[in-house]
Amino acid sequence: MTGPARRIGADVFLHHLTTSIDESSRRAEIRMESESAFSHPVDRAGNEHLAELLEEPSIDEGLTIITH
């Protein structure tokens, strides 16, 4: 995944956001209620599903990880 960026000499960064499912769901609900241009329907069940699919990033992937 980082190959094309590396070939042109770009550094690759991943901003890894660490929030609980409760907090992520709360923030999504606020965005949806505000009708923000960047909001879309997300509920707790959707966040739980995504959490099951995703894995923690690793420096073995060849990128710099910035955790927030």
Side-chain angles (χ1 to χ4, degrees):
M1 175 178 7
T2 63
R6 296 277 187 224
R7 280 195 289 278
I8 63 168
D11 293 324
V12 181
F13 296 91
L14 172 77
H15 289 267
H16 178 61
L17 308 177
T18 56
T19 59
S20 67
I21 291 174
D22 287 336
E23 180 64 12
S24 296
S25 298
R26 185 189 72 76
R27 291 179 185 182
E29 185 175 331
I30 290 170
R31 279 193 304 276
M32 287 186 304
E33 288 174 355
S34 72
E35 298 181 6
S36 167
F38 301 105
S39 69
H40 58 276
V42 178
D43 59 12
R44 183 179 177 86
N47 280 337
E48 288 174 348
H49 175 71
L50 288 173
E52 291 173 6
L53 295 175
L54 300 174
E55 60 185 48
E56 293 290 318
S58 167
I59 59 171
D60 295 338
E61 297 176 66
L63 42 86
T64 300
I65 301 168
I66 302 169
T67 301
H68 301 274

